[in-house]
Amino acid sequence: MGMNVSRQVDLTENEYLKRFVGKTHVPAYDDDFWNNFLQYHINLPTNSQEQLSLDSRLESLCQSFISHNLHTGNFGSLINVFLLKVSELLTLSDTESNVHIWHAFNALFIIRCLVKYMIETGSEYQLLQHFEALPVQAADSDTTPNDASTSTAIPIDVRAVEETKAAVAKLVDGSKFETFLEALVNIIVVLPVKEFTYHLHLEAVNCMIILLSVSLFSQQTMEKSTIYRTIYRCQHANTLMSALLHFLSRMSQAPQTMFGFGTGGSFVFGIAESLWSILTFARKQPDILTAHDLPTAFREHYPLANQSLLLILILTNHHATKDNPYRISLFGCSDSQDSPKEDPATFKIDFSSLYNTLCRIVTIDQATLLLYLLLYRNQRFQKYVMAQQNLQQLVIPILQTLYNAPDSTSHHIYMSLIVLLILSEDDNFNKSVHQIMLKNITWYTERSISEISLGGLLILVVIRTIQYNMLKMRDKYLHTNCLAALANMSGQFQSLHPYVAQRLVSLFETLAKKHARLDQQLKHPNGEPDISIPIGCGLTSEDMLQDLSVLEEVLRMVLEILNSCLSHQLIYCPNLVYTLLYKRNVFEAFRSHSAFQDIIQNIDMVVGFFSSRLQRVQEQRGELGVSEVLEVISKGASQWSSDRLRKFPDLKFKYVEEDAPEEFFIPYVWTLVCKAGCVHFSSETIKGVSTEIVC
C-alpha cells in the first residue's frame, strides 16, 4: 500500500487496495503491483475496540472483495504471492530476507483480515470458493505475460462470469487451502524465532486461530468441516505442537519494533535445530509478569506465547474423543533432559523450562487449563512435577487464584481445584507440602501468620473456598472436589498450625449450624428465620431437603477427614487434638444421628482418652496453660494406639474426566480465546459455540 496505516487513515482511498478488491484481475507475477501493495506499516489492533475500528474501516473494501473476487481471482493471486515469499525465505540470509519477511507478514495480515471477515459473515464453503477462485478468462485470450502491450490489470469478460462460477464450484476441493495451511505450518516449525521474524510467527499462529474459529460461526459439526479435516489430518502435528509448546516455554518477549534487523546466521536451520534451539532475544528484559494485571501483561508483552497457548488448547480440545493427532502429541511428549528409553515420545521438550513458565503464569486462566491437561493426561510431566522440590512455586499461585475467587471465573476456580485434586492423589505430594515452610504470606489477610507449612496454607484456602461456595456459588461439585483434595491429604496431615486446626473444626461447626437451621425450618416452616446462618432466600421445601441431603454428605466427609488424620497422624497433630477438646460440644447433636454416629464414636474415643489424662494432670498441678495442655497431649499421643479406633477405608479419591468432555471444554476454550487472545471476533454472529463473554 506504500504507506503507514494508522488508526485514522481512510483505507478506502488507497489505490492499491481499491485495485485489489476491484473488478480487474491482478496476476501473481505482477511484481510491481505486489511490491507496492505490500509496502506498508500497520499498527496492529491490541484490543477489541481497535479491532472493531479496523473492521469498520475495512468493511466496504471487504464487501467489494466478496463481490468481485470470484471473477477476478485476486485472493488466489495474493495467496500465490504469499506462498512464493515463504518459499524464498528458506534460501535467503538474514540480511537479504528482511524485506521478504516484511512482505510475507503484510500479505498474511491481509489474508487474515479477509478470512476473518468471510468466516464471520459467510459460510465455510464460500470461504473455500474464494481460496480456489480463478480469474475469468480475459476478453483477448491470446494476451500473455510476456506481451509488451499487456496491461497490468487484466479486464474481466463479464459474459464469462456465470460459466466461471460453475467452474469455481467444481474446484472447491480445499487443495489451495491445504497448500496455504502447509505454508503456515512451515513458518511456525521451520523458521527460528528471531527479533525480526517474531511478528511473522505471531501472524501465522493468529491465522490458524482465525481458520479454526469457523466453529464459532457455523452450526454444522466440525466432522463435516473441510478446514477442520485438513488441519486434523496434518502430517506435521508433532512438530507443530512441539513448536507451539516451545513458543510458550521460551516465552520470548515481543520486540520493541516490528522487523528490526538481525545479525548473522541464516534461515536454513532445519526443523530439528529450529525446534530445539529457538533463540531467545539477547537483551535482558525486566520481569513484566510481576504486574498487577498479569493476563494483560502476558498478552501484550508475550503475544506469541499467549497465542500459542490458546492455539494448543483449541487443537487439543476439539475432537477430544476422536483420534486427535495434536492431543496424542501433547500427551505423549517427554523431557528432553531424560536419557532415551524404550517408550517412544511424540517429541521432547525441556520440562524444567515448561514447568518454570507455568509457575510464572499459572494464575492466568488458560495456563491453568494447560497445566490441568498435562497433569491429567501426560504421565511423564505429572511424574516430573511431583518430583520437584520447589512445589510452592506452582501451588501458591493456584491458592491465590482460589483465595481471590470473586475475581476469577467459576471455570477458573473449578480447574484450579481439579489441579489440586490431581496433585493430592500423590502421597509424596501430600507428605512434602507439610515439610515446606512458608513465611509472611502477605496476601492471606484473614489472619496474620508468621510461619506456616504449604500444606497448612492449602488446607486454609480450600476451607475458605468451601465457605465461599456455600454463600455464593452453591455448587455441589465444587464442594465435592474441595473435600476430595482434603480427604486425600488427611492421612498425611502433619504439624498443623493452631489456626489450621481451628479452621478444620470450625468448618464442621459452621456446617452443623446450617444443618440445624435447615432441619428446624423444615420441621417448623412458619418459625422466625435465624439470619446469622445464611441458607438462601426463597427456597422451597424441596430445595431445602436437597440442601439438607448435600449438607449431610459434606458433614460426613469432614468427619471422615478428621478421623483419617486422627487414625494416621495423631502423634503429629497435637493442635488438632487440642481444638477437638476445646470444641467437643459441636459434635453433640450428631452422636445419635444414624449417618454420623459410627465415625463420631472414634472422635469421642480420642477426646475421652486425652480428657482423662488432662483431668489427672490438672488434679495434680491445678489449672494448665496452653503450652502445658499441648505437652500433656504430646506425651499422651506417644502412648496412644490407633488400634482402639474403628477402622474405615482409607480416603482415596481420584479425579475422572466426565464423558463428552468437549461439551465443557470447547466453549470454555473459545471463551478464553475471545477474552484473553490478541484476535477479537464479532460476538454478534457467533452461532456454533456459546461463550460466556462478549468477544
Side-chain angles (χ1 to χ4, degrees), residues 252-410:
S252 299
Q253 189 173 335
Q256 297 293 320
T257 58
M258 293 174 65
F259 309 111
F261 288 88
T263 57
S266 167
F267 272 97
V268 189
F269 282 88
I271 290 179
E273 185 173 354
S274 68
L275 288 180
W276 314 142
S277 305
I278 294 175
L279 300 179
T280 53
F281 303 142
R283 61 177 180 271
K284 180 71 173 177
Q285 300 289 354
D287 188 4
I288 296 169
L289 295 183
T290 57
H292 176 68
D293 188 356
L294 181 60
T296 300
F298 183 59
R299 181 181 68 243
E300 292 181 353
H301 296 281
Y302 302 91
L304 181 58
N306 184 63
Q307 295 303 98
S308 297
L309 171 53
L310 293 172
L311 181 53
I312 288 170
L313 295 178
I314 296 169
L315 291 171
T316 52
N317 283 288
H318 276 280
H319 301 292
T321 57
K322 308 290 191 303
D323 292 330
N324 180 336
Y326 302 100
R327 197 172 175 86
I328 294 169
S329 178
L330 180 66
F331 302 157
C333 69
S334 66
D335 189 0
S336 60
Q337 304 304 311
D338 278 352
S339 56
K341 296 181 180 179
E342 293 182 5
D343 189 15
T346 51
F347 65 88
K348 290 182 177 291
I349 187 170
D350 184 354
F351 277 177
S352 174
S353 176
L354 179 59
Y355 172 78
N356 289 332
T357 293
L358 288 174
C359 287
R360 293 179 68 193
I361 63 171
V362 73
T363 54
I364 300 175
D365 219 323
Q366 58 267 34
T368 305
L369 181 52
L370 177 63
L371 176 63
Y372 156 77
L373 289 170
L374 289 170
L375 286 175
Y376 183 56
R377 296 289 187 177
N378 190 315
Q379 293 183 355
R380 296 184 182 98
F381 186 76
Q382 184 191 64
K383 183 179 178 181
Y384 175 86
V385 170
M386 296 304 182
Q388 296 310 296
Q389 300 299 311
N390 60 345
L391 279 170
Q392 68 273 19
Q393 292 187 12
L394 182 67
V395 174
I396 289 177
I398 296 172
L399 297 181
Q400 286 180 280
T401 296
L402 295 175
Y403 188 81
N404 298 312
D407 300 329
S408 302
T409 66
S410 59

